Structure formats: C-alpha cells, structure tokens
Amino acid sequence: MASLDRVKVLVLGDSGVGKSSLVHLLCQNQVLGNPSWTVGCSVDVRVQDYKEGTPEEKTYYIELWDVGGSVGSASSVKSTRAVFYNSVNGIMLVHDLTNKKSSQNLYRWSLEALNKDSSPTGVIVSNGNDYDREQFAENPVPLLLIGTKFDQIPETKRNEVLTRTAFLSEDFNAEEINLDCTNPRYLAAGTSNAVKLSRFFDKVIEKRYFTRDPSQMTGFTDRKRFNFKSLHYD
C-alpha cells in the first residue's frame, strides 16, 4: 500500500470546533477519547476507494492536514501556517454549530488558505448582500462544509441553525455535513453524510489525477487571488 497515490486535504476552522476529533473519526473510525489542542499541524491518513463498485475503482490515500491556531493570529503565525497551504487538493471547512462566530470565521479561513501569500486582516463581515459567491464557484479546489456538535443544538434552535448552514454551503459552493464527532453513526455506511463524504473525496481525486488543466494539479499555486470586501453572514 505504500505505493498508493495520495491527495492532500486541509482541515480548517477555529480552535475548539472539533477538527482533531473529526480527523480521528474519519481516519481511525473511532471516537477520540481525549482531544488536545493542535500545535502547528497534525496529519493523518484515510484510505479511499475512488469510484467504488465501478470498473474504474482504485484505492488512494487521503492525507488530512489538521491545521491548528486561530484565524485572528498574528501575521507571523499566519506566515508559518502558509507552509501547510502549498499543493493542496481539497479543503474541509469545520465549524461548531453551537458557535456562530466559528461559522463566520470560515470566510476568513478560506481567504487565508486561498490567498496564502496575503493576510485576511480587515475583512468586514456584515449583513449585506454583496458577498460574491461566484468567486467560490470559479474556485477549482473542492470544498466541504462540516458542522460539528450537532447533538448540542437545542431542539428549538435546530431549524434556525440548519438554515444558516445552508446559506454557508451556498456561499462556498460546497456540500454540507452536520454531525457529532463522538458518535460514529453519523458517518455510518449508507447514510447521506457518508455519501457526501465519499463524493467529496472522489472529487478531490478526480481534480488531482484526472483533470486536463495543469493549474488544478498542484494545489493553490498560481491561482487567482480572492478579495472579498464584504462578507455577509445572517
């Protein structure tokens, strides 16, 4: 298996949203008993059967890069994190469904990764409607939106939260998965979450190994810069 081809997927989001627990669940199919803060970056590997059940089926390694830190970190910390953003093939944007700020900060995380040579400082988050979704529609790097701590949402607020995540998903032109990282059943085979996850990984592999556009083969290098003057968040 050492000879398997591989792809690199960033796992981005605020500290405390459950990125490490998510990665452990995805790669080990087990609940992480005692999560700790990630310093720098932690990498784990998942095996993915591309186009499973078809004649084109092939096994790949999915490297999940869990990037630690805060989106509001000093420029020196952001510069250090930029090293992890090279040659990326996909991004998982992770937020805590009980923490609205962590959802809001996904815009800034995406800016930091997609514009790894610039700082996302000064980004304005408003309730306006001038957020340009087309910039993500043109982004060739596959994105997946993951909401954690689904079990902790009060029943009375569930519809409100899910409506908000649907807007996020639309903004990022990405599918969404909502789950509880302490319960493997949310990713059980055959569930809608498992289907979405497999579809995302297949898309990452497709972009990396089967695209004819060289600019989509090497991660973020030489990609257009994203520049959002205002980001809306209801």
Side-chain angles (χ1 to χ4, degrees), residues 69-80:
S70 168
V71 76
S73 302
S75 58
S76 59
V77 177
K78 293 175 184 175
S79 297
T80 301

Side-chain angles (χ1 to χ4, degrees), residues 72-115:
S73 302
S75 58
S76 59
V77 177
K78 293 175 184 175
S79 297
T80 301
R81 279 203 300 257
V83 175
F84 306 133
Y85 301 154
N86 291 320
S87 301
V88 170
N89 308 117
I91 303 177
M92 289 181 168
L93 295 170
V94 186
H95 62 122
D96 176 351
L97 293 169
T98 68
N99 182 346
K100 193 173 181 179
K101 185 67 174 178
S102 73
S103 306
Q104 176 180 307
N105 281 342
L106 291 182
Y107 294 109
R108 300 183 69 184
W109 276 108
S110 62
L111 283 168
E112 181 178 305
L114 294 168
N115 298 335

Side-chain angles (χ1 to χ4, degrees), residues 211-230:
T211 180
R212 294 185 179 182
D213 181 356
S215 69
Q216 297 182 22
M217 299 283 284
T218 56
F220 295 128
T221 307
D222 298 328
R223 289 230 169 85
K224 62 177 288 188
R225 175 172 297 187
F226 286 66
N227 183 20
F228 304 145
K229 293 183 179 179
S230 179

Side-chain angles (χ1 to χ4, degrees), residues 77-179:
V77 177
K78 293 175 184 175
S79 297
T80 301
R81 279 203 300 257
V83 175
F84 306 133
Y85 301 154
N86 291 320
S87 301
V88 170
N89 308 117
I91 303 177
M92 289 181 168
L93 295 170
V94 186
H95 62 122
D96 176 351
L97 293 169
T98 68
N99 182 346
K100 193 173 181 179
K101 185 67 174 178
S102 73
S103 306
Q104 176 180 307
N105 281 342
L106 291 182
Y107 294 109
R108 300 183 69 184
W109 276 108
S110 62
L111 283 168
E112 181 178 305
L114 294 168
N115 298 335
K116 67 178 187 301
D117 57 343
S118 64
S119 170
T121 57
V123 175
I124 301 171
V125 178
S126 71
N127 290 320
N129 296 314
D130 49 356
Y131 173 74
D132 186 4
R133 294 190 183 102
E134 291 185 2
Q135 297 194 62
F136 274 111
E138 297 172 2
N139 169 39
V141 179
L143 304 176
L144 181 65
L145 183 68
I146 299 182
T148 62
K149 306 182 184 180
F150 182 76
D151 59 309
Q152 297 180 27
I153 306 174
E155 191 66 36
T156 56
K157 293 187 175 181
R158 186 156 295 183
N159 286 339
E160 174 189 340
V161 172
L162 293 181
T163 298
R164 190 167 68 241
T165 61
F167 278 116
L168 273 174
S169 176
E170 186 177 355
D171 278 350
F172 287 114
N173 190 34
E175 287 195 295
E176 60 174 321
I177 290 177
N178 298 316
L179 47 68

Side-chain angles (χ1 to χ4, degrees), residues 35-51:
S36 58
W37 300 109
T38 299
V39 178
C41 183
S42 176
V43 182
D44 207 341
V45 177
R46 172 188 173 94
V47 175
Q48 172 72 10
D49 290 323
Y50 172 72
K51 290 192 174 182

